[in-house]
Amino acid sequence: MAGFLATFIDLLFNVLLFAILGRVLISWVDPMGNMRITQILREITEPILAPLRSILPPVGMFDLSPIVAMLLLQILHSMLLRAI
């Protein structure tokens, strides 16, 4: 059971990390968010990024919330895997 849970957690965190990375990359191509893939990535990642965006101070025109989210997800991922 622990092996299945570890695999599930690993897959979940990898999907979240790639979704955040995908959202960052696609924002260069579709900044208005009109493409369907952009909308899907926004729906997946916004629950993670919105709270961070409200905490982090703005840094010019750069949004640092994806970087912070990816770092926090990596930390949480390793903590969960160690706990199993």
Side-chain angles (χ1 to χ4, degrees):
M1 182 65 179
F4 171 76
L5 189 58
T7 303
F8 176 76
I9 289 171
D10 196 39
L11 180 64
L12 177 67
F13 278 86
N14 282 330
V15 166
L16 288 173
L17 287 171
F18 281 115
I20 292 171
L21 180 62
R23 180 175 174 174
V24 169
L25 294 175
I26 201 104
S27 71
W28 296 343
V29 177
D30 183 26
M32 298 304 293
N34 296 327
M35 294 171 45
R36 182 66 183 141
I37 187 68
T38 307
Q39 296 167 359
I40 292 170
L41 289 174
R42 183 176 293 137
E43 290 173 7
I44 293 170
T45 59
E46 195 61 23
I48 298 168
L49 297 178
L52 291 173
R53 215 175 282 123
S54 66
I55 295 170
L56 293 173
V59 181
M61 58 184 270
F62 296 107
D63 182 14
L64 297 179
S65 61
I67 296 170
V68 173
M70 292 175 81
L71 289 172
L72 290 174
L73 282 173
Q74 287 289 345
I75 292 168
L76 184 61
H77 178 243
S78 64
M79 288 173 56
L80 284 173
L81 287 181
R82 270 191 243 129
I84 296 175

